Amino acid sequence: MPWKLRSSKQEARPAAPHSDHFPESQLRGPKGSAHAQRLPAAPRFLPAPLSASGSVGFALHWSAGVARGWLGVACSRCSSVGRAIGSAGLNFCFWKLCVAIMRLVILDNYDLASEWAAKYICNRIIQFKPGQDRYFTLGLPTGSTPLGCYKKLIEYHKNGHLSFKYVKTFNMDEYVGLPRNHPESYHSYMWNNFFKHIDIDPNNAHILDGNAADLQAECDAFEKKIKEAGGIDLFVGGIGPDGHIAFNEPGSSLVSRTRLKTLAMDTILANAKYFDGDLSKVPTMALTVGVGTVMDAREVMILITGAHKAFALYKAIEEGVNHMWTVSAFQQHPRTIFVCDEDATLELRVKTVKYFKGLMHVHNKLVDPLFSMKDGN
């Protein structure tokens, strides 16, 4: 059980559950309006609950207007900007404490991992209560890994459980030079595998244009659109076998923004299966959100499935932050969830797997209570 220490009396007492420490209504949004109205008398320190975390850190918040180049990492609880230190993401903002949590959710197989991820997304949207003046903003990936998750989200929509009418989406990347209507473009992928099956307004589905006349201007405009939307509430991502997220290949800056990127040979080889195995047909450049762009999201969920990504998961979870494995940067994000199947854990230590499997009763509470009322499961 977590404990709260009062510095004046040094009196310990049980703390409320993490989600209740600081209501989202008090800590929401990059505008910081709530911060300008509330200033607690003194800081209070709460150990993060071990039942909810693998990598735990403390964060004292501070919302003053400090240069982003120095601070660099956004707190997912209040959207202030802070500087991550190790895996303990310190973000200073009006003496309010935010606990950095990294979860690893391990399911038996790909289908169960996809279902868990879809239920989590569904619950986050429902709990947010989006409306005409309050859109939920969702970051989305492409590739083979999220297909099962998309199928489940479509199922929930068709069953009347979920609406995307007041959801805005931002996709991670797009190939450069591939026509929008090409079957392997990410515009085609998203339309065929997701968007045409749900009730999202096409004007609210944002995908980078790899055929723009000015590619840098396109990247800058994409960042501006994210900012105008109020930032990303939940960014869902996948990774490659070399640990890259979006097209942030090994060696990418961990504070990078949306930009033009040359693809690594490993990525080109992995994507050749979508182009009849012909390497000459695979695009060699892409537009991609940066690691820093994804880190700015209030919450990040990364899907990792298959034995071929086991070493990347090991690098993401059990080793330190390294720009050669860009997914490792999310150890520093205050709210990261890695969702994986059993095969993806093959390179992890036995005690690591046992520890996180022992927390599944905690993780399942993130998807079961609200969803079961609608699903009847």
Side-chain angles (χ1 to χ4, degrees):
M1 177 180 293
W3 291 88
K4 183 182 298 183
L5 296 181
R6 291 182 176 177
S7 56
S8 58
K9 297 182 179 180
Q10 292 299 305
E11 175 187 359
R13 63 182 178 87
H18 171 69
S19 60
D20 294 329
H21 286 169
F22 307 109
E24 193 161 335
S25 61
Q26 297 177 9
L27 295 176
R28 175 165 177 77
K31 297 179 182 178
S33 58
H35 300 302
Q37 299 169 7
R38 301 184 74 253
L39 181 60
R44 292 180 295 178
F45 299 89
L46 289 78
L50 291 178
S51 60
S53 173
S55 176
V56 180
F58 295 99
L60 281 173
H61 299 273
W62 177 53
S63 64
V66 183
R68 195 178 194 82
W70 165 243
L71 293 180
V73 176
C75 173
S76 66
R77 292 299 295 167
C78 69
S79 298
S80 66
V81 178
R83 182 176 182 179
I85 302 176
S87 61
L90 294 177
N91 299 328
F92 291 91
C93 167
F94 276 161
W95 300 109
K96 275 192 154 316
L97 185 111
C98 171
V99 179
I101 294 178
M102 184 184 75
R103 295 184 174 97
L104 175 62
V105 178
I106 304 172
L107 287 307
D108 288 345
N109 54 52
Y110 171 82
D111 290 339
L112 291 176
S114 299
E115 181 179 11
W116 195 98
K119 283 187 174 183
Y120 188 84
I121 295 168
C122 182
N123 279 355
R124 288 290 289 111
I125 295 173
I126 293 171
Q127 290 168 340
F128 186 85
K129 298 179 181 178
Q132 188 172 359
D133 299 319
R134 177 178 164 83
Y135 280 77
F136 186 85
T137 310
L138 183 64
L140 294 174
T142 52
S144 58
T145 303
L147 284 174
C149 178
Y150 288 151
K151 288 178 181 178
K152 278 293 180 181
L153 288 173
I154 293 168
E155 177 185 321
Y156 302 154
H157 167 67
K158 290 185 175 180
N159 289 342
H161 298 161
L162 180 62
S163 172
F164 292 87
K165 184 177 181 180
Y166 297 115
V167 174
K168 294 183 180 181
T169 65
F170 289 87
N171 264 77
M172 283 189 153
D173 41 33
E174 177 58 289
Y175 291 119
V176 168
L178 206 61
R180 180 178 296 207
N181 61 357
H182 189 285
E184 297 305 330
S185 76
Y186 290 153
H187 280 81
S188 295
Y189 172 100
M190 291 305 301
W191 174 255
N192 293 326
N193 292 303
F194 193 39
F195 291 150
K196 75 177 183 181
H197 305 286
I198 59 176
D199 61 342
I200 192 169
D201 182 344
N203 293 321
N204 291 330
H206 303 283
I207 305 178
L208 286 156
D209 182 2
N211 295 289
D214 187 334
L215 295 176
Q216 186 55 54
E218 171 67 11
C219 294
D220 294 342
F222 199 73
E223 289 275 347
K224 184 178 179 181
K225 289 176 183 176
I226 293 176
K227 185 176 180 180
E228 290 173 346
I232 306 293
D233 292 301
L234 173 61
F235 220 132
V236 184
I239 67 169
D242 59 1
H244 74 259
I245 186 164
F247 278 130
N248 293 285
E249 305 284 30
S252 294
S253 167
L254 300 185
V255 294
S256 56
R257 312 304 301 184
T258 304
R259 67 206 186 283
L260 175 66
K261 194 77 173 115
T262 301
L263 304 186
M265 181 52 66
D266 283 349
T267 302
I268 294 173
L269 290 171
N271 290 342
K273 62 184 178 183
Y274 303 117
F275 295 87
D276 302 321
D278 187 347
L279 291 179
S280 66
K281 295 180 181 179
V282 183
T284 58
M285 303 187 78
L287 301 184
T288 180
V289 296
V291 178
T293 309
V294 183
M295 286 287 289
D296 279 353
R298 284 176 274 281
E299 188 172 9
V300 178
M301 180 167 66
I302 300 174
L303 312 179
I304 306 176
T305 59
H308 62 301
K309 296 183 181 179
F311 194 67
L313 180 60
Y314 158 72
K315 287 288 187 176
I317 297 294
E318 292 190 347
E319 292 209 348
V321 176
N322 187 333
H323 70 289
M324 295 305 293
W325 297 84
T326 53
V327 67
S328 67
F330 295 93
Q331 293 178 24
Q332 295 183 327
H333 193 284
R335 289 187 71 186
T336 298
I337 300 179
F338 291 92
V339 181
C340 69
D341 61 4
E342 190 75 31
D343 288 345
T345 68
L346 293 177
E347 295 287 348
L348 297 181
R349 295 180 178 90
V350 172
K351 64 181 180 181
T352 301
V353 175
K354 288 185 68 175
Y355 171 71
F356 282 107
K357 279 190 172 182
L359 299 179
M360 281 306 299
H361 67 288
V362 177
H363 297 151
N364 285 335
K365 291 179 182 178
L366 301 173
V367 297
D368 285 342
L370 177 62
F371 195 87
S372 60
M373 290 189 293
K374 289 183 163 287
D375 193 38
N377 290 336

